Amino acid sequence: MHDDRIHVERRLDRLYKERILPAKYSARVPLQIEVWYVPDEPVPVAEALAATYRASGVGEPWGTPWSTAWFRVTGQVPAEWAGRRVELVVDLGFTGGGPGFQAEGLVYDRAGRPIKGVAPRNMYVPIASPARGGEDVALLIEAAANPDVGVDGFKPTPLGDKATAGKEPLYRLAAVDLAVLDEEAWHLALDFEVLSGLMAELSTHDPRRHEILRAMERAADVLDAQDVAGTATAARTRLAAVLASPAHASAHTLAAVGHAHIDSAWLWPQRETIRKSARTFANVTALAAEYPEFIFAASQAQQYAWVKTHQPAVFQRIGEAVKAGQWAPVGGMWVESDANLPGGEALARQLVHGKRFFMDEFGVECEEIWLPDSFGYTAAFPQIARLAGVRWFLTQKLSWNQTNKLPHHTFRWEGIDGTRVFTHFPPVDTYNSEFSGSELAHAVANYAEKGAGTRSLVPFGWGDGGGGPTREMLEKARRLHDLEGSPRVVIEKPADFFRAAEAEYPDAPVWSGELYLELHRATYTSQARTKAGNRRSEHLLREAELWAATASVRTGAAYPYEALDRLWKVVLLHQFHDILPGSSIAWVHQETEATYARVAEELNRIVDSALSTLGGGVFNAAPHPRTEVVDGTLVTVPALGVAAVAATASPAAVTVDGLVLDNGLVRVEVDENGLLTSVRDLTAGREVLAPGLPGNLLQLHADLPNEWDAWDIDAHYRRQRVDLTEASSVTVVDSGPLVGAIRVEREFGASRVTQTIRVRAGSRRIDVETDIDWHEVEKVLKAAFPIDVHADRSAAEIQFGHVHRPTHNNTSWDSARFEVYAHRWMHVSEPGYGVAVLNDSTYGHDVTRTTRDGDGGTTTTVRLSLVRAPRFPDPKADQGLHRFTYALLPGASIVDAVAEGYALNLPARVAEGGAGAVPAPLVRVDNPAVVVEAVKLADDRSGDVVVRLYEAAGGRATATVRPGFPTSCASVVDLLERRLQDAPPHADSDGGVHLSLRPFQIVTLRFARSTPA
């Protein structure tokens, strides 16, 4: 019997592959083909309609890398096909690669209206159903010759840069035919696929498996292999009973939603994502017209905006599908951003701009965050989400963890402030499901909440330009809706799934803290210039909003609403989870660096215009007052304010004695090789560095991960290390009295590093200004500070607060965090004393603790990951010049780290002006632990002033927020500036608002101005 079953299965498999599948199209006729090759970048369809074409045909090579060919195809439906379902079948020369990673096309009618995309596994375009016979066919196919950058197994390739990709055609046109779809044969193939997939997942002891096998055998018995079309109906009749048998009452429910994860840039540039989005969305809207039960969910407002601009007809169809309930905008973010590296205000604006777009265009307010593919998730997200009106959170990427499996699929995720958001992590472990039997069985077996929850989510469809869901997937969903032995498949909107899942599981377990991905840890470091561009853009946007708002309130100057809105969206786009993490092709990062330069230029113009309006002085956009050396003068400047360019403080002078820098607060000793041999905190009377261990030690590691070059840094990198202890030169370049500085130059391999160690009067901060000319390959460069404190945990700044991580490896969860991210600072401490390591653009870090043999003391070493050299997908990643600053801050509390982190990232600005009185800050806060993150004018152009602040120390805090302008009332609002509380916050007679904040609580205040200032 066992052998008989095997033979039957082999028979069925061959019959399905060699006879039933090919019977899908019962007749074909080729079309006439002409071609026009676009000289360079893609063009609109109007230009293609007017172009001059030449004769072409099947078999012609086409498509140099990244080029576009327009094929004009003409013909006539044969008269004998009357009453049949006729389709255009296009094979652009599709290779064995997956959908979305090779050639793609968009088909237009003769008037230039987009109809539908074509891609592998989605090669058809409807022509007539039923056909009359004799219809003329005239269509245009915009064919994109996208290379499969990962075709060689993610090895270094020149294909990711248009300049190096070559000129040889990638593809050979394989078919452009009219064809008759034999619907009975097609449905028979789908019956076989669903039943064989289910059968394969059932136990050999399950009677249902054998029932299916025998039914399929009976179907095969009546099927004529030479006449599948003529006998398909009879074969399907033999399968009807097993397909009609209902699912068990206890069957798991899979809430299925159409999906097409489209990376806004990755192994292709943004310009190609614009076309991928249009092709996919055209497919989806065409499919919705054919399948009334179909529901599609798409995130990323940016992609909708692209389609609205470039393909307005497709965008109109999207709007109609939304109204019909077949299309669900989800996620509420501008893009599916990285969820670790964007700053707090940037994550808030992702939601503000995304949600506003969907509300303005479709009248839909998204209630979920949809981030299936981002590389870990900040513990600040639950609060940010709830303050944007979000109830639910979805991710998938944590299924990629290398070491530990997350114990839940449905849970409440608790952030650093205690806010919780209902979260789902689909157990199907993919966001590109095709409803295979193995996928569905895995979803059920893998589901961690058995006995408590009964449902999970399955996003189905080909992503990244593969066209999204297919009609075959929808047909399989119909068969799987209520099928014995299978989970129930119910197509529904994500919001409906979340409501039902939350209702059935009110006591869902809680996961507290960050959702750390135990993979892709190198994304904190790869493509350092991209990361620096992001960090500096975020801080320039802060400055532009603050000073433009101040100028508007103080002088009536016009506030640059349109420019700031546009620039924010540009920066948000480049926080996409394959751009900011550094995991895209060279083309993407070249464009990104150029874009950041343009953003900086425009934002600096906005800032300069506002400052010139406000008059001269030293301007401080940071949330804390500062005393700083500016233009050879030591100046004290209020938080968010301005001071005259004149000496306002007289601290001890900086002295330079040989290679020793001393400003009365810290004494820094540098040896002949430029290493820090001593950092003495003169106020505390203690040495900061561990005995015998140098500070600012540059360490070079071999860095060849097991796979995923740009994404991963694997633990074995620590086994090979070279300490860069020799300097080419060590020179004193500033000798006081306000600044002391020593320049150190090092050469290693093919690279050069120049560092200036700088101490300023009145400051405990020791800056290390760094220029690297980097030309290593498969290496990572780190900077180490061995600190003489016994710290069992480190603190790392994240969005709107910080997280603590252990410095030990007690558990596998601890060990897996061998590389972590931080924003502007890391802090390590023991009771009574702490030290911070600050940076202005570095995110990757590691922190370790060791016990010294000599004195039994503990060394806590903080290292910054400065630059890497991966070779895929960009073979020249990070090569060339880098400029950044990091700093050591002895004797630092968390509040000190916060203040100096902002100060390092927001240098004081000097503006020339008259001798009049300097303007007062627009807003003041009387507690240094309560930090202002943004000051701007309200988005509704009412002239109201919006102030966003948060508690930064991790404790409870009270503060008075005092506006520097007349105000009629103040309101607590959400991130979209909508009132949150019916009662206004407590305010005094001068308009000061009194707040009591929980640890890490974010509060947004909206001040209505009572009279023009």
Side-chain angles (χ1 to χ4, degrees), residues 642-839:
V642 58
V645 185
T648 56
S650 301
V654 179
T655 61
V656 180
D657 182 6
L659 298 179
V660 178
L661 310 176
D662 190 325
N663 68 354
L665 299 173
V666 293
R667 185 173 67 242
V668 178
E669 297 181 16
V670 179
D671 70 9
E672 65 278 4
N673 279 307
L675 299 172
L676 304 184
T677 55
S678 173
V679 175
R680 188 77 180 171
D681 183 339
L682 300 176
T683 302
R686 63 179 286 169
E687 175 63 41
V688 173
L689 299 180
L693 296 176
N696 192 39
L697 173 63
L698 298 181
Q699 298 177 312
L700 191 66
H701 294 265
D703 181 22
L704 183 63
N706 296 334
E707 55 184 339
W708 300 100
D709 286 12
W711 291 261
D712 285 357
I713 184 168
D714 289 330
H716 64 249
Y717 87 92
R718 294 176 292 188
R719 297 178 180 273
Q720 293 179 289
R721 187 185 86 194
V722 175
D723 292 345
L724 304 180
T725 56
E726 295 184 5
S728 304
S729 66
V730 180
T731 310
V732 174
V733 293
D734 266 312
S735 54
L738 293 179
V739 178
I742 297 170
R743 180 170 298 148
V744 181
E745 297 182 351
R746 302 184 191 280
E747 295 179 359
F748 57 94
S751 303
R752 184 181 185 89
V753 177
T754 300
Q755 295 191 305
T756 302
I757 302 164
R758 195 177 302 278
V759 172
R760 295 176 175 85
S763 175
R764 287 175 291 147
R765 201 177 83 201
I766 304 155
D767 290 353
V768 183
E769 300 165 1
T770 302
D771 289 276
I772 302 179
D773 189 7
W774 176 252
H775 297 285
E776 305 309 297
V777 175
E778 294 172 347
K779 298 285 195 296
V780 60
L781 181 67
K782 288 183 170 261
F785 289 93
I787 299 170
D788 190 13
V789 297
H790 178 79
D792 61 354
R793 61 182 189 172
S794 63
E797 187 188 40
I798 63 169
Q799 302 85 347
F800 298 112
H802 58 268
V803 292
H804 290 103
R805 302 183 180 105
T807 57
H808 53 69
N809 294 326
N810 280 359
T811 70
S812 59
W813 296 88
D814 300 333
S815 298
R817 287 183 171 89
F818 59 82
E819 182 82 359
V820 296
Y821 77 92
H823 283 210
R824 288 167 290 229
W825 53 266
M826 294 283 294
H827 184 267
V828 292
S829 66
E830 60 191 25
Y833 194 79
V835 177
V837 177
L838 317 169
N839 73 84

Side-chain angles (χ1 to χ4, degrees), residues 171-525:
Y171 301 104
R172 189 178 296 274
L173 192 63
V176 182
D177 298 335
L178 290 179
V180 172
L181 177 68
D182 191 298
E183 296 189 64
E184 276 297 283
W186 178 56
H187 281 292
L188 177 62
L190 290 162
D191 293 344
F192 261 62
E193 183 177 351
V194 168
L195 289 172
S196 61
L198 172 59
M199 181 175 64
E201 298 304 322
L202 296 173
S203 165
T204 56
H205 302 294
D206 191 327
R208 174 65 168 163
R209 176 175 179 139
H210 299 279
E211 179 189 15
I212 293 171
L213 179 66
R214 297 311 165 189
M216 294 180 70
E217 184 179 27
R218 290 191 294 272
D221 290 343
V222 300
L223 188 71
D224 184 345
Q226 308 304 316
D227 183 19
V228 172
T231 55
T233 299
R236 294 194 70 206
T237 301
R238 301 301 193 276
L239 300 175
V242 291
L243 284 168
S245 183
H248 297 298
S250 60
H252 186 76
T253 297
L254 294 175
V257 60
H259 186 236
H261 177 77
I262 304 177
D263 289 294
S264 288
W266 180 27
L267 304 182
W268 47 84
Q270 291 175 29
R271 67 90 147 145
E272 198 53 36
T273 311
I274 295 171
R275 301 202 294 178
K276 286 176 180 285
S277 301
R279 291 187 284 257
T280 299
F281 291 176
N283 278 356
V284 169
T285 51
L287 200 60
E290 190 172 355
Y291 288 85
E293 76 273 24
F294 176 44
I295 296 171
F296 179 75
S299 65
Q300 304 196 77
Q302 173 68 84
Q303 293 179 4
Y304 289 76
W306 279 333
V307 172
K308 181 181 180 181
T309 298
H310 296 276
Q311 294 286 0
V314 175
F315 189 76
Q316 182 180 350
R317 286 156 54 179
I318 292 171
E320 293 166 357
V322 172
K323 289 180 182 177
Q326 291 188 276
W327 188 297
V330 294
M333 296 176 71
W334 191 248
V335 295
E336 289 185 15
S337 74
D338 183 80
N340 291 323
L341 308 183
E345 191 61 24
L347 277 187
R349 302 301 176 94
Q350 287 283 357
L351 285 159
V352 167
H353 285 287
K355 292 195 74 168
R356 282 221 176 101
F357 182 91
F358 292 134
M359 288 190 288
D360 291 345
E361 297 292 343
F362 307 120
V364 172
E365 179 164 3
C366 300
E367 293 187 282
E368 70 290 300
I369 286 176
W370 187 275
L371 288 177
D373 194 35
S374 299
F375 310 146
Y377 305 90
T378 171
F381 231 143
Q383 183 179 194
I384 296 170
R386 295 305 293 265
L387 288 173
V390 168
R391 298 172 56 186
W392 309 302
F393 191 94
L394 178 134
T395 175
Q396 181 69 72
K397 199 70 172 185
L398 296 173
S399 63
W400 290 40
N401 270 8
Q402 280 181 320
T403 305
N404 299 285
K405 182 175 180 179
L406 197 73
H408 310 299
H409 287 104
T410 301
F411 57 97
R412 295 191 185 277
W413 179 23
E414 181 180 274
I416 53 174
D417 72 310
T419 298
R420 296 177 179 179
V421 61
F422 189 81
T423 299
H424 184 65
F425 166 28
V428 70
D429 285 350
T430 180
Y431 43 81
N432 299 301
S433 173
E434 53 182 312
F435 292 134
S436 69
S438 59
E439 287 173 345
L440 303 191
H442 177 74
V444 176
N446 190 39
Y447 185 54
E449 270 58 55
K450 295 183 185 74
T454 64
R455 62 189 67 232
S456 63
L457 191 69
V458 175
F460 66 93
W462 301 113
D464 281 331
T470 65
R471 60 186 178 183
E472 287 78 12
M473 293 174 189
L474 286 166
E475 289 291 343
K476 287 192 282 186
R478 285 177 171 178
R479 290 160 174 79
L480 293 163
H481 176 67
D482 192 14
L483 182 62
E484 183 185 355
S486 170
R488 289 186 180 86
V489 173
V490 179
I491 294 177
E492 65 181 3
K493 292 181 178 179
D496 293 335
F497 159 76
F498 273 110
R499 286 190 194 95
E502 191 171 21
E504 78 166 1
Y505 204 3
D507 56 346
V510 175
W511 180 271
S512 182
E514 65 184 334
L515 293 172
Y516 178 89
L517 178 65
E518 296 177 355
L519 194 74
H520 293 359
R521 303 166 183 91
T523 58
Y524 312 147
T525 303

Side-chain angles (χ1 to χ4, degrees), residues 28-34 71-79 81 86-89 108 110 127-128 131-141 176-179:
R28 288 179 181 245
V29 295
L31 295 178
Q32 297 295 314
I33 305 169
E34 298 172 289
F71 294 101
R72 188 162 62 189
V73 300
T74 55
Q76 192 174 69
V77 176
W81 290 3
V86 179
E87 299 178 345
L88 171 71
V89 179
Y108 297 79
R110 67 184 71 197
I127 297 296
R132 298 188 312 275
E135 293 97 330
D136 288 330
V137 176
L139 300 168
L140 272 179
I141 305 169
V176 182
D177 298 335
L178 290 179

Side-chain angles (χ1 to χ4, degrees), residues 416 623-624 795-804 824-825 893-899 902 927-933 949-957 997-1002:
I416 53 174
H624 298 88
E797 187 188 40
I798 63 169
Q799 302 85 347
F800 298 112
H802 58 268
V803 292
H804 290 103
R824 288 167 290 229
W825 53 266
S893 66
I894 292 288
V895 172
D896 294 332
V898 172
Y902 274 104
N927 186 336
V930 177
V931 175
V932 173
E933 179 71 0
L949 47 81
Y950 67 102
E951 195 288 318
R956 295 191 178 265
L997 288 87
R998 303 185 309 274
F1000 301 123
Q1001 183 181 359
I1002 305 166

